[in-house]
Amino acid sequence: MDWNLAVIWLIIALLLGLAELTTGGLVLLALAVAAALTAGLAALGLPLPWQLLGMGLFSGVLVPLAVMVIRPRFSPRGVAYGTTGTGVEKGRTYTTLQRDFDGATGITINGDFYRLRVAGADESSGKTELPAGTRVIFQAFDGTTAIVTLASPAPVSGATHDKE
């Protein structure tokens, strides 16, 4: 077998593609495609400095393309990964749930469970246990604890109001 630079670039591309299976961020896949394109430059007979320049240019185009254009197409709509705790959740209403293994009360934000503590000046202030299905409004994080306030109860459908 002839071990020329094109074969080496293809092996690098294969290794980067296999490494992508462990991350899922599409960065290594973009680098694998750039390495495969660089193998094409090597097959054309360009010297190593031009191959390295080509790898840099291909990477400079493909990595941002993969991160900003392709990766969002594989993410669920409405989920802003990497934004939890930055304040984008403040004021949103969540429904409490109880964790199975320890019965802790919390809310799920972007797929992650956070224990809660009720804030406010009312009698429930400082509570960490609420019935499952209670509507709460997220305020902030204190470490990994979600600080919430109780949401006003939703009007009961079909309720009648006395008119005078």
Side-chain angles (χ1 to χ4, degrees):
M1 181 174 175
D2 184 21
W3 284 93
N4 61 20
L5 284 175
V7 173
I8 293 172
W9 281 112
L10 286 175
I11 292 171
I12 291 170
L14 178 65
L15 292 175
L16 286 167
L18 289 173
E20 174 61 36
L21 295 175
T22 63
T23 64
L26 294 180
V27 173
L28 293 177
L29 185 62
L31 291 174
V33 171
L37 292 172
T38 305
L41 295 178
L44 291 174
L46 279 101
L48 184 60
W50 286 103
Q51 294 173 31
L52 294 174
L53 179 67
M55 178 67 179
L57 291 174
F58 293 141
S59 299
V61 170
L62 293 175
V63 170
L65 180 74
V67 171
M68 293 186 290
V69 176
I70 298 171
R71 185 168 54 182
R73 295 178 190 265
F74 291 103
S75 298
R77 292 205 184 278
V79 176
Y81 291 110
T83 61
T84 303
T86 61
V88 296
E89 309 87 3
K90 185 174 179 165
R92 291 189 183 170
T93 303
Y94 294 93
T95 304
T96 62
L97 51 102
Q98 287 189 328
R99 200 163 42 190
D100 291 335
F101 67 89
D102 64 354
T105 304
I107 57 176
T108 302
I109 300 175
N110 289 340
D112 294 321
F113 180 86
Y114 294 95
R115 292 187 71 138
L116 61 83
R117 184 172 70 233
V118 178
D122 59 354
E123 68 279 352
S124 65
S125 180
K127 276 182 145 180
T128 59
E129 301 296 327
L130 292 173
T134 304
R135 293 185 52 211
V136 295
I137 300 172
F138 176 80
Q139 298 301 317
F141 281 111
D142 181 20
T144 59
T145 302
I147 309 300
V148 298
T149 56
L150 294 174
S152 60
V156 178
S157 61
T160 59
H161 297 285
D162 293 334
K163 293 184 181 177
E164 296 180 341

